Amino acid sequence: MVSTKPLPTDSILCFLTVLAALLLFSPCADAMHADEVGVNDFVLRTAGHGARGIRFARSCRLPPRGSSDSDSIWITSESNEYPAAVSDGHIDHAGTHGNGGSCSIAARNATSGEVLWRVDACSSSSRRSGNTGKGILPRHATLFLSGTNTVYSYDDNGILRGWNGENGSLLFDVDVLSSITGENNGAGGESDDGSSVIGSFTSALGGESPRLLGESLGGKFDKNLKEGGSAPIGAILTSKSGQDENLILHNPQNGTPIGKPLSAKTLLGKAKVSASKKFKLERARFLDMATSSSSSPDWKGSSIAILVGWSGVQNDVPSVKGEKISKTIGSYSNMAWIHVQLTPSSNEIGNNGNNDIDVSYGNYQVINASPLKITDSTSSSVTSTPLILSSLRIVPSITSFSNLALLAIAPSTYEVAMITHIDITSGKGMGGKLWQMDGLHPYWRFISSIHIMDHATSTETSGSQTNHIIKIAGIDDRYPTPRRIESLFLLSDRAIINSGEIPLDSSYAKENKKIFHRVYGSSKGDEEALYDALTTCPSAGLVVTASVEEDITDLTKKETMASIFRFNEETNVATTLLSGKRVTWSNQAKEGDVTIIPSSRGGTEGGLVEYSHLVDCDEKGMTLVFVSRGGMTVGFRFDGSSDGDSAVVTTKLWNSEEALGSVSSAVFLDETHVIEDVSDGTNQSEDEEEVALRNLQFSNRIQAQMISLKNFFFGGGMLSSLASMALLSDEKKAERDIAFGFAKVSVMLSDAMHRIIALDTAKKGRVVWSMNLHPEASWHKIVRGGQFMSLSDPHGNGGVHDHEMMTLSYLPFSSGVAGKSLESTAAMQWKCFDGTSGRVFSEKIVPMPSEVTQIVPLRSSIHHSHDANECRQVVVLVHADNSVSVVPDTARSHSVVDEAISATGRNGLFVHTLNRQSGEFRALRVARTTAIDGSHPFELVTVGTTIFDPNQESIIDVSYPQRGEVIQSPSTVLGDDALLLKYLNPHLVAIVTEATASFLSSVATISDENDQSSDGFYNALAGSDGTGGQKRKPLGVSKPGSDAPPATLTANVAPPSLFVTLIDSVSGQILHRVSHSHANESDIAAGASTTVPMVISENWIVYAYFNHRTRRTDVGVLSLHEGMIDKNGLTAFNSPEQELTFSSLEAAKPIVLSKTYGLGKVVTALGVTTTKAGISSKQFLFATGNDQVISIDRRLLDPRRPKGEVKESEKSEGLMSYSPLLPITPLRTPSHVYEVSSVKSITSTSANVESQSLVLSFGGPDVFFTRLAPSKGFDLLPDDFNRGLLTIVLVALIVLLNIIQRLNGRKIVVTAWA
């Protein structure tokens, strides 16, 4: 009989509880692999504009999504703001590939600041600029046309590309040079303008910065074409630097060329404009392009007007603090307007699917060539005045296609030359004016630039706009760092079209103040106001300025603030100018945050905001972006009614540290040692060690324990502890990160941007603090720790817990040291600061006797307070004149150096220098001098010297061992229980050199194996044993401690072109040397360059170079060993004789094992994982050319991998059979789905748990951080481990056990009664 007794209620509740828990917490499949799928990774993307920063900026609209409003896209580039502007100077093509300026175009969401897309605008083989800092010239030109919503780029190899403005996709790619020498256009003959087409170009641009001619200010091309019609774009060509220019017109839709090249010299001859011998204007150039109306009503095409002129050689013009800079000079009297009419292709006029007209042009015709003249005789001085051509700007009329104005800066930099009412069909201008600097701004010393803001105004109001908004910047050099000051000016459009309301005769000068004047406040003193940047939105009637608070004397507390003004005119400023009075503005009330830069920490006197860019402008308000010194960009939104009654609401949208896109070095610091003061903490100037010592007092310890006990019982500590058992809250995770050593502060130096940024790796790269360095320095360095930093002692000698560090900024020519004028003396600015907070303890500028050749860090072992001019971090500087200086130069620092010289168990303090030009490597010893006056307390004694002949090889890279690396064992246990001893030399230096072109030419491949080269250097590196009957050894292989024997070169063997030399930096002797062939793009080509990333870990040296014969990357691996101990050589009763100390002066050369592997990707950087005790297996990290970071286990790179069958002893050791190709496994790709572009450095640090290694990749436009577990996470639970499910299961089991016990007890009672 089946029982139908229902289940107990307790059992049903227990079952439902467990089922609900399983359903609620079931999505935990990836919990055990949370770290491996990248939950702790982050990528910080920047625009990637390098040292030049943002120069070109335009905005466009994203298509709306659903009912939401469309967002604006902010498109930026480091190219010139005006792509047609003549660049001053030339690109230095002697720079090596990959070391030049950036070449990117990027787009951000103007509301969120997110980088939507970024592209490399230059060819992979494009030449690089060798200049750095302010001398960099852009390697590409950028042009944006709103009519096609397309971004155009033109690089220094003559490649024209079109990019979709919304998503950055490539629309077309045209080789301009090939387009004019191909079948379509031929290689010779005459073009339609009668000019001779150049048959061959040796280069596309002749060493100059690329230039593009396009529709002025991105306006509509032809009113007859409706929406979508755009003017053609013109690419400028020169065959050699200094020659006359040629212009190729291209269709904006697909980049196809229009007709044949135009010659500037021929067009100037057609206009009868001759060169000027007075100003040496003898080079014909294309200057700009504007749209025009058709001259004939029957003409079915469209018209453009091209401005051509003669230019002179580079002239020196005045600059800041008495300096001279070179500028290209021209003159209005040596210019001409060329009227060109375009013929549409017969089969390419139609609708493109978006109700827009899609027009493609097939040819052109030169209608007219007219010289630029001024009819007003009183303005003749304007045409004869020389001009700086890079400052030339076109102001096209808003209502007339045929009229425009021209503005330019005179070479004196004291005047602005303007010509108005220019008819581009006839070339005539009605009037001109020279505006003196004193009448523009009272504090300017030089006029810097002219910016036409018409392209930034709203298209909704441009139809009614009758004034042009012009921004002119000047330089005030009264500050230690010259300050750039901007002012706003209005130019009446009526003066451009001459509607009859403004006379353009002798009374023209009387109307000057009405047609062109500066706009500023109406109160007293507003005329002298200094604004680092300003932007206006005519539709909303707002002006926003940026300036540093001048009333605060403490520079570190100064803030850069935004001020808001509203125009005082009743009508819109865009339509009011000739009302008989000057347009002014007044302060506007505001609500919200207006702080652009919170503090000018580390900054110098002068403005910190360099530029402002208007992104969006409408009647409701404006969106703009400020660009500060050091590359920080800040987005703001200003909303307010146009009536001015209500306050303007300000919103800080986003900020971005663009300096992260050019990081040169990085240091990890641990947040674990950040100490909170349990006392009143009134003294904020005390450092953390002083606080720690005070907290160790008995009374403070009791106080801290009482506070913890109170918080546990009454502050919610008990409940939070119980809750943390079920769920890992954010607070508990932060505590866990600090306890396990995951919370690091990465202090990153951007040498190019003169800035330091500190990131919190535990908070997805949040910027903790930032600091500006001296902007005039030629280089910067971060110095931290001692000469041999040890992570095993993290609280001292520069470990991760030691936060004090120093920056060095080298000033080649300092203008002031300790109040003295040192115009021709080099100097060094040092700053001592806390790396976790950025607090500067002390800083000073000290003179330098000569250039610095080596920096040796030392660390004070004695605690002392931070006095003025003191720092616990000490630096020994070795100079080119063999002198030594100490920073800080104090008695306490000298005692630290003395301690290093006389340290027990050491022979002294050794340093070295390397002269890349002469190829000399010198090992030196620092000693106390015997000078009586004590002015130079230390001197250098030469220990050894090694010479790399600069005529035969050039130094391209130098690598050092990992500082502070923990080595778990000094030997490797082999499969037969023998010990292979590691060669661990902290003084090891690896120098990479490449053979010079002249040397390779002199030792070209020998066809006859009996032929011998007369060059002993080549024979010594050939790597053969000299006997043709024996098997030839691999290049660079020799017996330990011996040199390679001379030999002949076998038939058809390429000469070695890459060399890796291991040197002991104490003795100066060469320990080992290897060579490789086919490492250059062309072993004979002049100017060939090689990039060889390298990393040294323990006794391993791993490097990578591209093999141009196999078209893959070769990975070279060297392992250094002292020798081997047999398995019976070390027992309880037998021990071999071993030296307990290592001496570079006495130790034998290492035994070197080597292997070469192939990798199917280009490698740009190398790194290695680091763990706390060095027990976890190591992984080598490779940054590849396809924007990924991959990891390869060290066992795959072992040079002991056997080529034949693997023996049992080798299997037990873990060795695998040799394979020439290294596998790339997606599971071993730490970057996962992230794209990490152009990585140049990979650094790592350890956590407090052995399994974890923290890795940071940087150097390119992206910064990537990841947490790796080389041997899996064997000592901790992953972040997403389902603690809640585990807690519920345990609770459910306890409840179920109690229920079962109760049921069992009830059953026993029932059974007993039965």
Side-chain angles (χ1 to χ4, degrees), residues 1218-1289:
Y1218 173 76
S1219 175
L1221 293 178
L1222 295 173
I1224 299 178
T1225 308
L1227 294 178
R1228 293 289 186 180
T1229 304
S1231 56
H1232 302 290
V1233 297
Y1234 295 120
E1235 290 186 0
V1236 190
S1237 302
S1238 305
V1239 175
K1240 295 180 181 178
S1241 298
I1242 301 177
T1243 185
S1244 64
T1245 189
S1246 62
N1248 293 342
V1249 289
E1250 171 59 26
S1251 66
Q1252 303 297 305
S1253 179
L1254 310 180
V1255 178
L1256 188 70
S1257 304
F1258 55 89
D1262 302 321
V1263 174
F1264 171 65
F1265 174 83
T1266 184
R1267 200 171 81 203
L1268 297 180
S1271 299
K1272 304 295 183 181
F1274 56 83
D1275 53 1
L1276 82 164
L1277 294 175
D1279 287 347
D1280 288 351
F1281 182 79
N1282 208 325
R1283 293 172 172 81
L1285 177 59
L1286 179 62
T1287 303
I1288 290 179
V1289 170

Side-chain angles (χ1 to χ4, degrees), residues 46 58 70 110 419 450 533 557 575 610 640 820 864 902 931 990 1051 1184:
T46 67
R58 296 293 187 270
S70 61
I419 299 180
I450 301 175
K557 296 182 180 180
T575 59
E610 293 188 329
K820 298 180 180 180
H864 61 81
S902 59
T1184 61

Side-chain angles (χ1 to χ4, degrees), residues 433-614:
K433 173 69 175 179
L434 285 175
W435 299 91
Q436 300 296 324
M437 181 177 60
D438 295 340
L440 300 177
H441 197 286
Y443 287 140
W444 283 351
R445 297 297 181 266
F446 307 97
I447 302 176
S448 173
S449 62
I450 301 175
H451 177 77
I452 311 300
M453 300 186 65
D454 286 2
H455 69 81
T457 58
S458 174
T459 57
E460 298 176 0
T461 61
S462 60
S464 59
Q465 181 176 339
T466 58
N467 289 329
H468 298 272
I469 304 173
I470 300 174
K471 183 167 59 177
I472 302 180
I475 302 297
D476 184 358
D477 62 353
R478 297 175 301 166
Y479 299 86
T481 299
R483 181 174 180 178
R484 184 176 179 271
I485 302 172
E486 293 186 346
S487 290
L488 192 67
F489 296 83
L490 295 182
L491 173 64
S492 172
D493 190 64
R494 299 174 185 173
I496 299 177
I497 62 175
N498 188 19
S499 61
E501 299 182 21
I502 302 178
L504 293 177
D505 49 18
S506 59
S507 61
Y508 176 79
K510 299 179 180 180
E511 302 292 339
N512 282 333
K513 291 185 178 180
K514 295 184 179 180
I515 66 169
F516 181 76
H517 71 249
R518 179 183 165 209
V519 184
Y520 51 89
S522 57
S523 60
K524 185 178 181 181
D526 286 344
E527 184 179 2
E528 299 180 355
L530 304 179
Y531 303 115
D532 300 319
L534 57 83
T535 306
T536 180
C537 175
S539 301
L542 296 177
V543 177
V544 177
T545 66
S547 58
V548 180
E549 292 182 321
E550 299 289 344
D551 55 344
I552 299 179
T553 57
D554 187 356
L555 182 63
T556 61
K557 296 182 180 180
K558 286 188 175 182
E559 295 183 339
T560 303
M561 311 292 291
S563 301
I564 306 174
F565 303 92
R566 188 178 295 277
F567 288 104
N568 292 331
E569 293 292 330
E570 297 180 356
T571 56
N572 195 295
V573 67
T575 59
T576 303
L577 188 61
L578 301 179
S579 58
K581 60 180 181 179
R582 182 176 61 86
V583 177
T584 60
W585 66 50
S586 57
N587 280 295
Q588 174 67 33
K590 50 188 176 291
E591 296 179 0
D593 186 11
V594 292
T595 304
I596 303 174
I597 303 177
S599 67
S600 46
R601 182 205 310 268
T604 54
E605 287 289 351
L608 294 179
V609 172
E610 293 188 329
Y611 303 98
S612 61
H613 299 278
L614 182 62

Side-chain angles (χ1 to χ4, degrees), residues 92-103 120 122-132 139 156 661 1081 1087-1091 1162 1164 1238-1240 1259-1261:
D92 180 11
H93 294 315
T96 58
H97 178 77
N99 294 333
S102 173
C103 200
D120 188 351
C122 295
S123 309
S124 59
S125 60
S126 184
R127 296 172 293 270
R128 303 278 176 167
S129 170
N131 300 326
T132 58
R139 296 175 46 229
D156 55 351
E1081 184 174 359
S1089 59
T1090 307
T1091 300
V1162 176
T1164 61
S1238 305
V1239 175
K1240 295 180 181 178

Side-chain angles (χ1 to χ4, degrees), residues 106 153 301 316 327 463 473 516 518 590 683 724 776 838 853 861 948 963 1035 1075 1147 1149 1305 1311-1312 1314:
S153 65
D316 291 337
K327 297 289 185 180
F516 181 76
R518 179 183 165 209
K590 50 188 176 291
N683 191 355
S724 64
E776 304 298 327
T853 58
S861 60
F948 298 91
R963 291 184 65 200
L1035 295 178
S1075 62
K1149 293 184 179 181
T1311 303

Side-chain angles (χ1 to χ4, degrees), residues 1083-1148:
D1083 288 340
I1084 307 298
S1089 59
T1090 307
T1091 300
V1092 183
M1094 177 182 290
V1095 63
I1096 303 177
S1097 176
E1098 295 188 2
N1099 63 322
W1100 282 46
I1101 302 170
V1102 180
Y1103 56 94
Y1105 66 94
F1106 191 79
N1107 190 317
H1108 291 273
R1109 182 173 67 88
T1110 60
R1111 310 303 300 174
R1112 72 183 186 193
T1113 297
D1114 284 354
V1115 179
V1117 184
L1118 304 176
S1119 63
L1120 282 59
H1121 304 276
E1122 290 185 4
M1124 187 174 65
I1125 300 177
D1126 187 74
K1127 64 177 180 179
N1128 298 320
L1130 181 62
T1131 63
F1133 307 99
N1134 183 27
S1135 62
E1137 295 182 1
Q1138 293 288 322
E1139 294 289 340
L1140 299 180
T1141 59
F1142 178 87
S1143 174
S1144 295
L1145 303 176
E1146 300 175 357

